[in-house]
């Protein structure tokens, strides 16, 4: 599910490159596709052994105002697809793995707390309540739950979508730079590592909750610097103003030291701007302990890959 979105497109291509046959669930029929109506009517195709749900209206679409209608679309696209696929997997005994992608907003931001998979999650705002409902929607209280992996992902970076595409508007307005103060924590992952983790949890297999975030705990400002410098044992780093400067240069716009919080909130609204302005410290303990090796464990490595294309 969600094979036409940013994560889904990259995941489908990644799995095809690894020799998998991928069938996309979409609103529209087409080659190597089935529709959501097909799933509800006929269930999961017989030859499918793993089901992955990456469905969800893009929360950080800067072209969409944060209206009640858009909020409902964001909510329903995640909850309804999760429920539909969970019930479909329940009726498909050949499916051995059900992966539901979620967020990390229900880890409440804290100065001291570093979250791992077994830690408490809670609902304290729209995004955190969405994450709780999202995971609950994929729960059937049946044997399906023994096949299920909840992949909690941070902000996804990569070419053609994710955070990089979402922050273009401040730069176009000539207001680009690190967002807000720039020193707030921002859990993130490169899209190639997210795809790699999903393949890993299917093949290993790994069940339960898996935090899909880079090992390096990072601030928003860290995406704008060049040379890493270790500050403390949590590997929080400061680098230079480079990625944001490169983005601004490509758009023939200035790059300020920081994009004011008011600008970010004006574009995204208070509730979804929290994704960029106030994040938790999260560790990918299960992914690492189960043997996954990150391609882009640090901001500096991710930045180099983003800059080379």
């Amino acid at each position: 599910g969600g094979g036409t979105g940013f994560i889904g497109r990259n995941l489908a291509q990644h799995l095809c490159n690894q020799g998998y046959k991928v069938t996309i669930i979409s609103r529209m029929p087409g080659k190597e596709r089935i529709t959501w109506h097909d799933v509800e009517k006929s269930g999961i195709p017989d030859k499918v052994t793993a089901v992955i749900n990456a469905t969800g209206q893009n929360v950080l679409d800067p072209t969409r105002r944060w209206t009640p209608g858009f909020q409902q679309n964001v909510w329903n696209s995640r909850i309804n697809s999760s429920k539909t696929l969970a019930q479909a997997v329940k009726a498909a005994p050949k499916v051995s793995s059900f992966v539901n992608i979620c967020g990390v907003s229900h880890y409440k931001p804290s100065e001291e707390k570093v979250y791992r998979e077994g830690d408490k999650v809670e609902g304290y705002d729209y995004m955190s309540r969405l994450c709780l409902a999202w995971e609950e929607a994929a729960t059937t209280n049946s044997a399906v739950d023994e096949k299920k992996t909840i992949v909690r992902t941070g902000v996804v970076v990569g070419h053609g979508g994710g955070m990089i595409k979402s922050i273009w508007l401040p730069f176009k307005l000539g207001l680009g730079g690190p967002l807000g103060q720039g020193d707030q924590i921002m859990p993130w992952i490169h899209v190639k590592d997210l795809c790699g983790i999903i393949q890993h949890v299917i093949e290993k297999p790994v069940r339960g909750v898996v935090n899909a975030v880079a090992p390096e705990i990072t601030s928003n400002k860290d995406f704008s610097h060049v040379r890493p410098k270790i500050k403390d044992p949590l590997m929080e780093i400061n680098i230079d103003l480079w990625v944001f400067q490169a983005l601004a240069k490509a758009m023939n716009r200035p790059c300020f030291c920081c994009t004011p919080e008011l600008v970010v909130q004006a574009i995204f609204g208070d509730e979804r701007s929290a994704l960029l302005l106030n994040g938790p410290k999260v560790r990918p303990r299960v992914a690492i302990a189960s043997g996954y090796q990150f391609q882009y464990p640090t901001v500096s490595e991710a930045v180099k890959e983003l800059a080379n294309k």
Side-chain angles (χ1 to χ4, degrees):
T4 58
F6 171 60
I7 293 172
R9 291 195 312 272
N10 280 274
L11 179 58
Q13 185 62 58
H14 170 85
L15 292 174
C16 286
N17 291 343
Q18 298 299 312
Y20 287 88
K21 182 178 180 181
V22 176
T23 300
I24 292 172
I25 307 172
S26 175
R27 286 173 292 183
M28 301 297 293
K31 186 179 180 181
E32 305 297 338
R33 292 188 183 191
I34 58 174
T35 66
W36 287 100
H37 177 71
D38 293 333
V39 173
E40 291 172 350
K41 182 181 177 181
S42 305
I44 303 294
D46 289 341
K47 294 183 180 180
V48 172
T49 57
V51 174
I52 305 162
N53 187 24
T55 308
Q57 173 81 44
N58 180 11
V59 177
L60 290 175
D61 183 347
T63 67
R64 299 293 301 273
R65 293 179 57 220
W66 192 238
T67 62
F70 182 64
Q71 292 177 45
Q72 197 63 49
N73 287 342
V74 167
W75 189 282
N76 288 346
S77 63
R78 289 160 171 77
I79 306 307
N80 293 347
S81 63
S82 298
K83 285 181 178 179
T84 296
L85 288 179
Q87 291 303 315
V89 171
K90 189 175 180 180
K94 290 184 180 179
V95 173
S96 59
S97 182
F98 174 37
V99 178
N100 205 53
I101 299 174
C102 187
V104 295
S105 293
H106 45 353
Y107 292 129
K108 192 170 185 179
S110 167
E111 289 282 336
E112 299 82 21
K113 179 67 177 176
V114 180
Y115 290 96
R116 293 169 175 81
E117 285 83 354
D119 289 326
K120 177 184 176 182
V121 291
E122 56 185 301
Y124 56 89
D125 62 5
Y126 174 91
M127 293 299 173
S128 59
R129 290 190 292 272
L130 173 59
C131 285
L132 291 174
W134 199 351
E135 294 186 9
E136 180 63 27
T139 301
T140 63
N141 296 314
S142 70
V144 172
D145 296 339
E146 298 174 6
K147 307 175 182 180
K148 183 180 66 179
T149 307
I150 297 292
V151 174
R152 294 175 178 165
T153 180
V155 173
V156 182
V157 300
H159 296 280
M163 184 190 77
I164 300 301
K165 186 174 182 179
S166 296
I167 63 174
W168 69 269
L169 187 56
F171 286 89
K172 188 171 183 178
L173 296 173
L175 299 170
L179 307 179
Q181 296 293 322
D183 55 2
Q184 66 274 11
I185 297 300
M186 187 173 69
W188 66 280
I189 188 168
H190 194 290
V191 69
K192 291 183 179 179
D193 275 317
L194 178 55
C195 295
I197 286 175
I198 292 169
Q199 179 186 354
H200 174 76
V201 302
I202 290 172
E203 293 179 348
K204 193 74 179 174
V206 182
R207 302 292 177 248
V209 174
V210 176
N211 289 336
V213 295
E216 181 177 72
I217 294 178
T218 306
S219 72
N220 181 290
K221 191 180 294 182
D222 293 336
F223 275 94
S224 61
H225 290 76
V226 183
R227 295 186 180 86
K229 181 180 179 182
I230 301 299
K231 288 172 58 180
D232 59 39
L234 287 179
M235 294 171 61
E236 295 176 37
I237 65 169
N238 276 330
I239 327 174
D240 238 5
L241 271 180
W242 187 76
V243 172
F244 286 106
Q245 286 178 344
L247 181 57
K249 183 177 180 181
M251 299 181 71
N252 295 313
R253 293 292 188 272
C255 179
F256 293 104
C257 290
C258 289
T259 302
E261 282 192 21
L262 288 175
V263 173
V264 180
Q265 290 166 347
I267 294 171
F268 294 107
D270 289 344
E271 290 177 309
R272 60 176 172 168
S273 63
L275 293 172
L276 299 171
L277 297 174
N278 189 26
K281 298 177 181 178
V282 184
R283 288 285 193 204
R285 183 188 62 82
V286 171
I288 292 173
S290 61
Y292 181 73
Q293 295 185 333
F294 282 81
Q295 296 182 63
Y296 304 99
T298 68
V299 170
S300 58
E301 289 168 293
V303 162
K304 288 175 184 176
E305 194 275 338
L306 291 171
N308 285 335
K309 289 189 179 181

